[in-house]
């Protein structure tokens, strides 16, 4: 029903992932026939219902200001209930202009210069940018690798909280870049520490919709995270490939926290939403879940192919199993080369563009991140090129 094998020409739309000029600015002299497996942007068309809605809006020809009307709230509430078994109220939801910018507003709202914000590293680099750009300090807490899987070091976490007294803990669930799905018990332990020491818990669930292995537990499930000390950030952008619309939302159960956050949005003039963005959420959530289920099956097949290809061709690589998302996290320390060296070498010599793990705040210097959210033929072609460099 859905053709995820279709190769879509993407260079003409000047998207960052496929733009030769932009890629060369990041990776050096890359050949014209490069295969990009880097930025977290899938190479699949969005759900047909979303495309149809956008076509209707474009054909109608008027693109005026809009607002967060009832259908938006109803779509979010219904999707969160059906997909993640959580019950939320419309008043908890606040639409904003992308999760990354929302991280900046949150730090502005709840921190002062000189404060610190904790995060588990390696982690999505904009977490750190949102902190340092407000003259706030990043407190890194290294994740621990056991059995080729990340774990939280709760003893070290509590020690750091007591010593540094962070105002906020930015927690990525599922984890980006590794795809690790945290259990409900782990999230509860995180929340309990935040309550005990007066730390605001901000959880990013942007990668929650692509579950390949295991079961995702939302922090909003009863008995998981304490609602009075919680801010959840999410969006349909990763799930439905809508990142360029820069539309996201927060869910904040506590009225005091919600009011403080909204005051900061007002200071930044975050008011009416993007016209395509709000309708993208509505139609993706209401009519795109069958597409999403089919996509996850396809992504799991890509993950399985990648696992086998790494095992067959690169015995010095050690890939973590991606439990969620479409991003592989691979330890290349046994090669004796850094991720920065390898990414530039592969990009310039083979045209295969992968992500440098050193970008992920800290503790990622010996890792590559590979985006397998692409038609399988591109993935196999890329690994055939890489295989020839051995």
């Amino acid at each position: 029903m859905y053709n995820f094998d279709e190769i879509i020409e993407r260079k003409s739309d000047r998207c960052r992932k496929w733009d030769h000029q932009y890629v060369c600015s990041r990776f050096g002299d890359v050949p014209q026939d490069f295969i990009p497996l880097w930025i977290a942007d899938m190479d699949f068309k969005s759900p047909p219902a979303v495309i149809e809605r956008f076509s209707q809006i474009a054909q109608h020809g008027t693109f005026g200001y809009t607002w967060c009307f009832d259908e938006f709230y109803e779509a979010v509430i219904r999707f969160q209930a059906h997909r993640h078994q959580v019950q939320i109220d419309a008043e908890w939801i606040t639409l904003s202009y992308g999760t990354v910018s929302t991280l900046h507003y949150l730090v502005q709202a709840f921190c002062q210069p000189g404060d610190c914000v904790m995060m588990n590293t390696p982690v999505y680099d904009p977490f750190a940018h949102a902190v340092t750009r407000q003259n706030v300090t990043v407190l890194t807490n290294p994740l621990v690798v056991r059995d080729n899987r990340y774990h939280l070091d709760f003893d070290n976490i509590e020690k750091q909280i007591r010593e540094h007294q962070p105002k906020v803990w930015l927690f990525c669930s599922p984890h980006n870049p590794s795809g690790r799905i945290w259990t409900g018990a782990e999230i509860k332990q995180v929340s309990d520490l935040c309550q005990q020491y007066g730390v605001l818990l901000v959880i990013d669930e942007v990668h929650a919709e692509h579950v390949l292995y295991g079961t995702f537990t939302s922090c909003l499930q009863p008995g998981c995270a304490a609602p009075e000390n919680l801010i959840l950030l999410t969006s349909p952008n990763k799930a439905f490939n809508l990142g360029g619309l820069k539309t996201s939302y927060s869910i904040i159960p506590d009225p005091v926290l919600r009011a403080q956050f909204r005051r900061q949005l007002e200071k930044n003039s975050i008011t009416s939403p993007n016209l395509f963005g709000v309708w993208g959420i509505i139609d993706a959530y209401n009519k795109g879940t069958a597409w999403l289920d089919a996509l996850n099956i396809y992504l799991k097949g890509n993950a399985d192919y990648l696992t086998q290809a790494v095992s067959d061709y690169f015995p010095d690589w050690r890939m973590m199993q991606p439990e969620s998302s479409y991003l592989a996290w691979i330890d290349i320390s046994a090669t004796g080369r850094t991720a920065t060296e390898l990414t530039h070498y592969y990009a310039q010599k083979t045209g295969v563009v992968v992500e440098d793990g050193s970008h992920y705040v800290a503790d990622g210097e010996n890792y590559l991140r590979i985006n397998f959210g692409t038609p399988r033929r591109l993935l196999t072609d890329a690994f055939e090129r890489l295989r020839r460099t051995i």
Side-chain angles (χ1 to χ4, degrees):
M1 183 177 181
Y2 307 108
N3 183 14
F4 299 114
D5 286 318
E6 180 184 2
I7 306 294
I8 301 168
E9 188 280 309
R10 299 196 63 203
K11 292 183 179 181
S12 60
D13 65 10
R14 300 304 298 265
C15 66
R16 277 188 284 171
K17 183 179 183 181
W18 282 89
D19 190 272
H20 186 255
Q21 179 182 352
Y22 188 86
V23 169
C24 287
S25 74
R26 293 285 302 271
F27 296 93
D29 188 12
V30 176
Q32 288 283 350
D33 64 343
F34 69 98
I35 302 175
L37 304 178
W38 63 295
I39 192 170
D41 176 344
M42 294 188 293
D43 294 315
F44 310 116
K45 289 182 179 178
S46 292
V50 174
I51 297 171
E52 182 180 357
R53 172 69 70 179
F54 291 170
S55 296
Q56 290 172 354
I57 295 172
Q59 289 297 319
H60 194 67
T62 61
F63 311 104
Y65 299 115
T66 186
W67 63 298
C68 292
F69 41 88
D70 290 346
E71 289 94 328
F72 160 69
Y73 295 104
E74 291 164 359
V76 171
I77 291 168
R78 189 182 305 111
F79 181 84
Q80 291 292 335
H82 292 170
R83 201 79 187 175
H84 301 307
Q85 297 75 54
V86 297
Q87 303 300 319
I88 61 176
D89 295 337
E91 64 183 14
W92 298 1
I93 305 166
T94 304
L95 191 139
S96 57
Y97 300 163
T99 302
V100 171
S101 59
T102 304
L103 289 167
H104 287 70
Y105 308 141
L106 278 166
V107 176
Q108 293 167 10
F110 295 101
C111 297
Q112 298 295 324
D115 288 341
C116 72
V117 171
M118 187 167 70
M119 57 194 71
N120 310 101
T121 53
V123 73
Y124 185 47
D125 206 33
F127 275 30
H129 295 161
V131 174
T132 58
R133 288 169 182 167
Q134 321 309 323
N135 294 316
V136 174
T137 301
V138 172
L139 175 60
T140 60
N141 176 265
L143 294 167
V144 177
V145 180
R146 291 198 302 270
D147 299 323
N148 201 32
R149 192 169 186 252
Y150 278 131
H151 297 265
L152 295 159
D153 184 347
F154 283 106
D155 290 338
N156 188 37
I157 289 169
E158 187 167 10
K159 178 176 178 289
Q160 285 187 312
I161 291 176
R162 285 200 306 265
E163 180 178 349
H164 298 280
Q165 300 180 342
K167 290 294 181 69
V168 175
W169 184 347
L170 295 181
F171 189 72
C172 200
S173 176
H175 178 248
N176 177 10
S178 74
R180 165 71 148 88
I181 296 177
W182 307 110
T183 66
E186 287 169 319
I187 297 170
K188 184 179 186 306
Q189 196 168 352
V190 167
S191 177
D192 289 347
L193 282 172
C194 286
Q195 281 193 294
Q196 180 180 349
Y197 291 99
V199 181
L200 175 62
L201 178 57
V202 177
I203 297 185
D204 172 354
E205 289 190 359
V206 165
H207 288 274
E209 319 312 340
H210 297 304
V211 177
L212 311 182
Y213 296 93
T215 303
F216 171 74
T217 300
S218 172
C219 62
L220 292 171
Q221 288 197 9
C224 196
E228 65 273 14
N229 190 43
L230 175 67
I231 294 178
L232 167 62
L233 304 180
T234 191
S235 82
N237 294 345
K238 291 294 183 277
F240 299 99
N241 213 25
L242 301 172
L245 299 177
K246 298 292 185 181
T247 307
S248 65
Y249 60 94
S250 61
I251 299 175
I252 309 176
D254 183 78
V256 176
L257 290 179
R258 191 165 62 246
Q260 186 171 346
F261 173 60
R262 286 178 175 174
R263 284 195 296 271
Q264 188 61 47
L265 293 185
E266 290 171 1
K267 290 180 182 179
N268 287 279
S269 191
I270 308 303
T271 54
S272 59
N274 177 303
L275 174 65
F276 287 89
V278 69
W279 278 111
I281 288 179
I282 292 168
D283 284 288
Y285 280 179
N286 286 345
K287 303 175 182 178
T289 54
W291 176 93
L292 179 59
D293 291 338
L295 173 63
N296 284 343
I297 293 171
Y298 190 88
L299 291 175
K300 185 177 181 297
N302 277 1
D304 292 342
Y305 163 79
L306 198 57
T307 300
Q308 190 63 51
V310 167
S311 175
D312 290 345
Y313 303 149
F314 297 94
D316 288 340
W317 290 11
R318 187 169 173 81
M319 175 177 157
M320 290 187 179
Q321 183 181 74
E323 299 167 0
S324 67
S325 82
Y326 46 87
L327 305 167
W329 190 240
I330 301 172
D331 182 351
I332 49 89
S333 57
T335 66
R337 304 181 72 178
T338 67
T340 302
E341 290 173 333
L342 281 182
T343 52
H344 282 76
Y345 176 79
Y346 289 142
Q348 295 170 26
K349 298 298 182 182
T350 73
V352 177
V353 182
V354 299
E355 197 86 68
D356 180 348
S358 66
H359 297 159
Y360 292 84
V361 185
D363 308 303
E365 296 80 5
N366 294 317
Y367 287 84
L368 303 178
R369 194 187 78 164
I370 296 180
N371 177 350
F372 56 86
T374 195
R376 197 158 303 149
R377 196 185 86 195
L378 290 179
L379 199 60
T380 58
D381 288 352
F383 265 76
E384 181 57 29
R385 293 189 191 186
L386 293 176
R387 185 188 66 80
R388 292 199 298 265
T389 69
I390 298 174

